[in-house]
Amino acid sequence: MRLKLGTLTLALAAGGALPALAQTCTPTAITPYIYVNGAWAQTASANVKTGDSAIFGPQPVSGGMWSWSGCGTAGASREQTISPAAACTATATYTNSCGAKSTQTFSIKVGTWASAKFGGGGYVTGLIFHPTTQNLLYARTDVGGAYRWDASTSSWLPITDGFTASEGFHHGVESIALDPNNDQRVYMVTGMYASADATARLYISSNRGNSWTSVNLPFSAGGNNLGRAIGERLSVDPNNPSILFYASRTAGLWKSTDSGATWAQTPLSATKMTQDQINNLGGQVMGVEQLIFDTSTKGSGSPTWILWATIAPDYASAAGLSANLYKSVNGGATWTPVTTPVPGYHIPHVVRTSDGAFYVLFTKGAGPGDAGPARLYKFDGSNWTLLRSIDYAGYGGISVSGTGSTARIALGVSGTWGDYSGKQVVQLSDNGGQTWREIEAGMAGQTASGWVDDVEIDPSNRDHVLHVHGGGIVETRNASSATPTWNATINGIEETCTLGLRTPPAGAPYIFLNSSGDVGTWVHTNLATAPTRSPYKDWNSGNSADMAWSDPTYIAAGGVVNSSNTAVGTGWWSGDGGQSWATFATLPAGAATKTSEASNLAVTARNQVVWAPADSVPSYTTNNGASWTATNLPALAVQNGVPRSYRLVADRRNPNKVYAYDSGGAWWTYTQAKVYVSTDGGHNFTLSQGSVAANMRFAPWGSSSMAVNPNVEGDLWVADGLAVYHSVDSGASWTKLNNFTATWNGRNDWLGPEVAGASIVALGKPKAGSTYTAAVYVVGVVNGVWGMYRSDDGGVSWVRHNDDAHQYAGVGVMAADQNAYGRIYVGGTCRGVLYSN
């Protein structure tokens, strides 16, 4: 029979049941995952190396059906493996159990980002081994993020390259802690400089640093302050790993009981240092230095009750604490001072061995490279035994393998420089500190001294000893030998801070010029090997370098020679592509003393250079530096230490044209940015009234730039910090591009944006068949997404050139290749030079 109920017809079979009435069916949200470069990541976009594969693995895992299109996907499997030859987009459709559909788009780019080899170049401040998982090792740096050791390739993998441009401050890593019960879990506290403000951040990973979540912390950190190798300041309770402690620089000891989600100050002290107190200490405060759990067990589920905290002299004074060591027997609820044999000293590192013994370093200064005096004591909870002392150097690091009279102790000696008889770098004892021998100074291989502020014995191989230094990490794998061999272990670590990049014309005998802080100027001829061509290989900084476009074997470079007393600006030139160098016979006014990174120069032809020292009137030479003559550019007002200069660029098609861009100096200056043009090789300049009419934004040196199209005369581009401007008539008139918009995030006009809308512009080899004569690259924000963007049609349309995995905590400099389309060279936040294919 058939029954009609309103508009609903129900067919009833004999003995059958009525079907359910229709109900609302809600689509199920899809969570995107991609397996790429050896790890799963929760993301909908990825960059796949040419020839490699990736796996799409969206969730939910069960309960519905999947269908796919694009990127070579097929069938109904939830996981789809692809090997794309070119960029592609895939769409996953999920039909849940009630029939509702939801879709997720995946974007894949094909190519690579890689580091141009230099090797190290910066201070690695700490090495953190997992206590039980073999070869699981992390390295933290003061300004260049963090790394994880990959034993399969004998190289370090960067684990903070996904940090965005707004996270540059957090590329300074102050401490890392590992969960001894879960080798996937990593905690990392970041923040470049300590202050009275709450600027530190905790990053949490459940997959060894392949991806992170973060929590803002109620105190600051100082990853690039003095004493940055002290600790580890962050610690995980081995018995109850949801409990974390942090020894802060300015606000005492903090505790979390929910795996870092929330924090409370412990009763050790309620003191939070004011900014005036911090300033009176030169901005360098050490605070509470370390928290040690007094336990030999793990995973019990109960908190570790007995704790020890080390206190720096500055915080002890500010908080009214009477000792540099405190003890708690109730999980940090109350604390009592402990008398130590060296009061008033720093305690940079403490090691507790499984027999309950403590090995405690005392050193007078905070480091790095403390000059001592220093002492090493063994402590049994009641009694102190002196094991080692030194009066002309500091003790920076200690590691212990084993216990008692057979314990192997590696002791890092800091502040010993040069080569001399009796020098100490790493002292080793194999009998619990009764006798010692030197295992590094004077030994074969690559050794390093000075900032030996963390030393580690591999917990799975006691012959493997490593330590940090100002240029990276060195290791020996035969520490038991009478003459151990040492080698640098920095493959994959790139921590130079790039200040300037220039690419030559196609066919030049080198790839690019690299000007970097602390390591100087280098000519790169091979991306896979460390450069060897440099005008000065001792401690110096390179600010700027340029080449003659018509004769790129002529190179001029400006930089700073550093010493213990002062920094002196200088300049060099090479006539053979950097194979040999000479200093300029004279320097332009201001070059020797005005040495900030804003100092820059432009080469118009062989022997002809225009140089703009910071805060100075630019000068030019026509005789290779034998003499210099001031240009007619107006002097720039000095702005309270903010780096400022004219940014100089030579027209590559007409070397008589030189452009000078004054960005205004700072976000808060309200000084109009403007462009000047020279038609006589940079001798005399005329203000571009078109740039005045364009109303370019005033912006800091590092948030603005200018570049020329090397293929067309008078084709000029400016990124003023907020937007991009383009001139095709040598700066007479300008067109503003409206593609880029800054991220303000509540900041006011005086402070400037959180992320600049457009900070760098560079031009390189055009795409074949494109409508414009160069590929244009801009670092900026499009539709709320920061990135490196490329246009092949003169700025009409833009595509993102990087992805979320390759952001490098922001990009400060960029140059585009003239030989290979799609290749740019960038300097991330102290991540060396990286390039795209």
Side-chain angles (χ1 to χ4, degrees), residues 367-403:
D370 179 45
R375 303 290 184 263
L376 167 61
Y377 278 86
K378 184 177 180 180
F379 180 51
D380 64 6
S382 301
N383 304 298
W384 296 88
T385 303
L386 179 64
L387 299 182
R388 195 71 170 155
S389 67
I390 195 167
D391 290 332
Y392 63 87
Y395 288 153
I398 185 170
S399 186
V400 184
S401 175
T403 61

Side-chain angles (χ1 to χ4, degrees), residues 107-118:
S107 177
I108 296 295
K109 294 181 180 179
V110 177
T112 59
W113 282 91
S115 291
K117 183 77 171 181
F118 186 89

Side-chain angles (χ1 to χ4, degrees), residues 794-812:
V796 177
S797 60
W798 298 86
V799 296
R800 194 179 183 199
H801 194 69
N802 69 314
D803 58 23
D804 287 351
H806 302 89
Q807 303 189 88
Y808 310 116
V811 168

Side-chain angles (χ1 to χ4, degrees), residues 18 71 151 208 211 247 249 336 469 533 784 807 823:
L18 286 172
C71 289
R208 299 186 178 181
S211 61
R249 288 176 177 263
T336 56
H469 65 97
R533 300 181 187 180
Q807 303 189 88
R823 176 171 290 177

Side-chain angles (χ1 to χ4, degrees), residues 214-296:
S214 64
V215 175
N216 290 328
L217 295 173
F219 45 82
S220 66
N224 197 34
N225 279 119
L226 296 181
R228 50 197 182 270
I230 287 173
E232 292 298 313
R233 293 177 177 271
L234 179 63
S235 53
V236 179
D237 189 332
N239 287 305
N240 184 345
S242 63
I243 296 175
L244 280 65
F245 283 88
Y246 198 78
S248 79
R249 288 176 177 263
T250 64
L253 180 66
W254 291 72
K255 180 180 181 179
S256 171
T257 58
D258 53 12
S259 300
T262 60
W263 292 80
Q265 194 179 35
T266 72
L268 175 66
S269 171
T271 298
K272 298 180 181 179
M273 297 177 72
T274 67
Q275 194 60 50
D276 283 344
Q277 288 176 303
I278 296 168
N279 293 341
N280 289 337
L281 292 165
Q284 305 294 336
V285 289
M286 302 305 125
V288 182
E289 296 180 319
Q290 192 174 5
L291 185 285
I292 305 98
F293 296 99
D294 197 349
T295 181
S296 298

